[in-house]
Amino acid sequence: MTLRTFLLGACSALAFAGMASAETLTIATVNNGDMIRMQKLTDDFKAKNPGIDVEWVTLEENVLRQKVTTDIATKGGQYDVLTIGTYEVPIWAKQGWLLPLDNLGDAYDVNDLLPAIRSGISKDGKLYAAPFYGESSMVMYRKDLFDAAGLKMPDAPTWDFIADAAKKVTNKDKEIYGICLRGKAGWGENMAFLTAMSNSFGARWFDEKWKPQFDQPEWKDTLNFYVNLMKEAGPPGASSNGFNENLALFQTGKCGMWIDATVAASFVSDPKQSQVADKVGFALAPDKGLGKRGNWLWAWNLAIPAGSQKVEAAEKFVAWATSKEYTNLVAEKEGWLNAPPGTRTSLYANADYQKAAPFAKMTLDSINSADPTKPTVKPVPYVGVQFVAIPEFQGIGTAVGQQFSAALAGQISVDQALKSAQQLATREMTKAGYIK
């Protein structure tokens, strides 16, 4: 064998070994703007971590939840990094389905995470997911339409003010609707909004003995108010609209108000994405004078399933995507307006972010005011603002959401929707052993 042949063979062997050791992470994520931006910036991660490649599975919110839940419950092993919400983290951690995130690196600075967000994704003091962005909810509104109608939005509006303003701003001939709200069925779609709203109306999912409460007047008041408001001042086909659909409506000038996730504030304020970017104002989520506002608390988080064969690579990705450095990368590439919000104290202390994001203080105030341990006016046995932190809620919440979406569409009455919700929730809670 010549020296040249030997060297070529050795190089080929080394190249093959390098290829064999390369890892591809499969990451399941939701199809919203911040996550899609992360995908576009993945080259930065790959440059810092040679030998690790990334494959994305990007899904609509309801589909993502279904597929990820099925995969982890059956130990399918299809994904190396999961995008999951505040609801799933403590439940899945208790089941042993997630790995604790003990090795995110010395520079990660866990203590910089906002306490309200961090506590929701921890169990026994350990972090089981890393927050990519956090959110509450608030009112986004068109200042120009309010001015034209002679209206002034309070910083802390009531539901009665919102309803009155929505009707005055509506101009259906010009396809301008006073208010856009979630109507698409799903425990994390219409029921996220309606559960938070119901808290402010004095309603609750269950009493102290886990008996469903949809037969109580507070839920009837909530659902009647919502359905009537949307009929008078909402867009057509609202029962099919979730976060993304309403975002598109607002950005194209068709909504006078939109009450939804604080994370949307950067999208509606960005002139590259929004036709009304220079006309948007912000206010706290509304109340009914009972001591609770209709705002929620949520984070989209990255987690690693237990039993993963690529733990070290997955930890590196999670640390990269949820770090201070990633925030700075987004600011450098896309501007501070688009930095992932709601996770780190340092972001809200950053003068550049405060200057770029007029909604920063309102977002932080909304996040800090939501209390998952005391979400309702009356006492409850559960934790969670816009969800109930029990495994059964995912199924029950979606089934109830289907009833309420049907009521919004006019397919059934409000009374029928509430009666069905009460029956199905009672049946499932009895079957699960909560009700004797």
Side-chain angles (χ1 to χ4, degrees):
M1 180 185 294
T2 66
L3 178 62
R4 172 174 155 73
T5 306
F6 174 80
L7 290 173
L8 284 172
C11 289
S12 298
L14 286 170
F16 179 78
M19 288 174 61
S21 65
E23 289 185 291
T24 298
L25 294 173
T26 303
I27 302 173
T29 194
V30 66
N31 66 336
N32 64 33
D34 281 293
M35 296 303 188
I36 290 170
R37 181 178 293 120
M38 176 171 60
Q39 295 175 40
K40 293 177 181 176
L41 296 174
T42 308
D43 283 347
D44 179 80
F45 169 74
K46 291 195 285 188
K48 291 173 178 173
N49 296 275
I52 303 176
D53 204 355
V54 174
E55 182 177 285
W56 293 94
V57 178
T58 307
L59 302 164
E60 188 268 333
E61 188 169 323
N62 286 344
V63 178
L64 173 77
R65 288 194 171 105
Q66 181 184 16
K67 287 187 176 294
V68 166
T69 302
T70 300
D71 186 71
I72 201 163
T74 59
K75 298 181 172 64
Q78 188 176 349
Y79 310 112
D80 302 302
V81 177
L82 312 172
T83 303
I84 59 176
T86 305
Y87 164 73
E88 291 95 347
V89 177
I91 296 172
W92 292 6
K94 186 177 180 180
Q95 296 278 0
W97 292 350
L98 302 176
L99 293 177
L101 298 180
D102 296 329
N103 299 301
L104 296 180
D106 295 337
Y108 187 73
D109 195 2
V110 171
N111 292 326
D112 186 47
L113 299 176
L114 289 172
I117 298 297
R118 181 180 174 181
S119 65
I121 53 177
S122 299
K123 181 180 175 292
D124 300 328
K126 287 190 172 185
L127 200 67
Y128 277 84
F132 183 73
Y133 71 76
E135 65 182 35
S136 184
S137 54
M138 64 183 179
V139 183
M140 294 160 275
Y141 69 97
R142 288 274 301 280
K143 293 185 287 187
D144 58 326
L145 296 179
F146 269 59
D147 289 344
L151 296 166
K152 180 173 175 58
M153 174 70 80
D155 286 341
T158 65
W159 282 110
D160 290 339
F161 174 86
I162 293 294
D164 180 64
K167 293 163 193 171
K168 289 179 178 175
V169 167
T170 297
N171 186 336
K172 293 184 179 180
D173 291 339
K174 293 185 177 180
E175 291 188 275
I176 294 174
Y177 305 97
I179 193 159
C180 293
L181 301 172
R182 297 188 188 195
K184 181 188 289 186
W187 72 265
E189 279 282 9
N190 65 337
M191 291 315 299
F193 173 78
L194 283 167
T195 299
M197 179 183 180
S198 75
N199 293 339
S200 66
F201 274 67
R204 52 187 175 166
W205 269 80
F206 307 106
D207 68 10
E208 299 96 314
K209 295 183 178 180
W210 292 101
K211 181 185 176 185
Q213 297 292 289
F214 295 106
D215 58 355
Q216 297 301 300
E218 293 89 351
W219 262 110
K220 186 170 183 176
D221 290 346
T222 302
L223 199 56
N224 270 323
F225 185 96
Y226 164 77
V227 169
N228 290 335
L229 175 60
M230 291 298 283
K231 282 180 179 176
E232 290 187 59
S239 62
S240 298
N241 293 345
F243 174 86
N244 286 331
E245 291 81 6
N246 284 325
L247 172 62
L249 286 169
F250 193 92
Q251 288 178 323
T252 52
K254 296 186 184 300
C255 304
M257 287 179 285
W258 180 30
I259 305 172
D260 213 298
T262 52
V263 71
S266 65
F267 305 148
V268 300
S269 302
D270 184 354
K272 295 178 183 176
Q273 303 180 58
S274 174
Q275 296 174 19
V276 295
D278 60 340
K279 301 176 176 67
V280 185
F282 306 94
L284 293 173
D287 71 359
K288 284 286 284 184
L290 300 177
K292 293 289 178 184
R293 294 203 163 272
N295 61 305
W296 63 65
L297 184 66
W298 184 257
W300 277 117
N301 313 281
L302 301 181
I304 302 171
S308 170
Q309 302 302 305
K310 303 173 184 176
V311 176
E312 188 176 343
E315 286 173 336
K316 288 179 180 179
F317 182 84
V318 170
W320 170 80
T322 62
S323 65
K324 292 179 185 178
E325 289 71 25
Y326 177 83
T327 301
N328 292 331
L329 176 66
V330 174
E332 178 190 333
K333 300 287 186 181
E334 306 277 348
W336 278 106
L337 180 69
N338 293 306
T343 63
R344 290 188 172 271
T345 301
S346 55
L347 179 65
Y348 292 91
N350 185 306
D352 291 330
Y353 183 67
Q354 292 172 4
K355 184 178 179 181
F359 47 81
K361 185 178 184 303
M362 191 71 69
T363 296
L364 189 61
D365 289 346
S366 297
I367 288 172
N368 288 337
S369 70
D371 185 357
T373 63
K374 295 180 181 176
T376 55
V377 175
K378 296 177 182 178
V380 291
Y382 55 84
V383 170
V385 181
Q386 80 279 25
F387 57 82
V388 178
I390 58 174
E392 295 77 12
F393 182 75
Q394 188 164 346
I396 297 172
T398 294
V400 171
Q402 289 166 349
Q403 297 300 316
F404 291 179
S405 186
L408 179 60
Q411 297 166 357
I412 59 175
S413 69
V414 165
D415 286 345
Q416 287 172 307
L418 290 168
K419 183 178 180 180
S420 295
Q422 181 70 13
Q423 290 173 342
L424 69 89
T426 300
R427 182 179 66 247
E428 293 303 316
M429 293 299 281
T430 302
K431 189 190 303 181
Y434 290 86
I435 303 173
K436 305 300 181 187

